[in-house]
Amino acid sequence: MISLGQILFTISALSVSLGAFLADFNETHVLNPRWPPHARFHNGQTMSMGASLGLATLYYAFRKVSSVEQAVDSARMATLVGSLYWATGLSAIFYPGSKGTDPEFGEGFPQGWGFGALLFGTVLGGWLEVRRVRGADALKSKGG
């Protein structure tokens, strides 16, 4: 049966794998005529990285393991890999001259809340999954 931790990892993985394509493959990013080719290159790199991180998160969240140590390691890796995009997205606003939107599309940092919520959900998923695995092992050790 799928656990709550795995559900949270899946939400994060699907959001990062599909979200960048849904948010960026339009006139605000990839199809923006004001963007130079090098900016499009980096946007494509970011979208592909998101898809890769999402796939890796799902791999670690659902891979078959043969020990509690491997299960804990998988949960930690899913947490790490699943958090990278959200953490780097939050940090990007601190670079000199960085803004969350281009001027013609508004002001502010609209991604901030979503990135923060998905980062929190991914870390929470990892914490829950490690507790679940260790709790199941403790019950097994006690004969329950």
Side-chain angles (χ1 to χ4, degrees), residues 104-121:
E104 67 265 30
F105 300 109
E107 289 291 323
F109 184 39
Q111 311 89 320
W113 291 105
F115 285 4
L118 286 159
L119 176 61
F120 177 78

Side-chain angles (χ1 to χ4, degrees):
M1 179 171 187
I2 189 168
S3 68
L4 179 56
Q6 290 172 316
I7 290 170
L8 291 171
F9 287 146
T10 301
I11 291 168
S12 177
L14 291 176
S15 296
V16 73
S17 294
L18 303 174
F21 285 92
L22 294 173
D24 291 358
F25 214 94
N26 59 47
E27 69 283 345
T28 66
H29 287 74
V30 173
L31 304 177
N32 188 338
R34 295 178 0 125
W35 274 32
H38 191 66
R40 293 171 202 254
F41 168 85
H42 280 291
N43 192 220
Q45 178 185 21
T46 301
M47 293 187 308
S48 296
M49 185 183 337
S52 300
L53 290 170
L55 289 173
T57 300
L58 290 173
Y59 169 76
Y60 284 111
F62 291 99
R63 78 177 179 154
K64 299 293 180 208
V65 296
S66 58
S67 70
V68 172
E69 293 82 21
Q70 285 181 341
V72 168
D73 182 60
S74 288
R76 288 180 175 158
M77 285 302 298
T79 304
L80 174 66
V81 174
S83 297
L84 288 173
Y85 189 90
W86 312 123
T88 58
L90 287 169
S91 72
I93 198 70
F94 297 109
Y95 285 89
S98 178
K99 291 195 177 220
T101 61
D102 284 329
E104 67 265 30
F105 300 109
E107 289 291 323
F109 184 39
Q111 311 89 320
W113 291 105
F115 285 4
L118 286 159
L119 176 61
F120 177 78
T122 305
V123 172
L124 177 61
W127 181 76
L128 290 170
E129 197 60 16
V130 168
R131 280 184 47 135
R132 181 189 69 79
V133 167
R134 287 192 173 148
D137 185 52
L139 283 176
K140 188 173 156 185
S141 297
K142 291 180 183 178

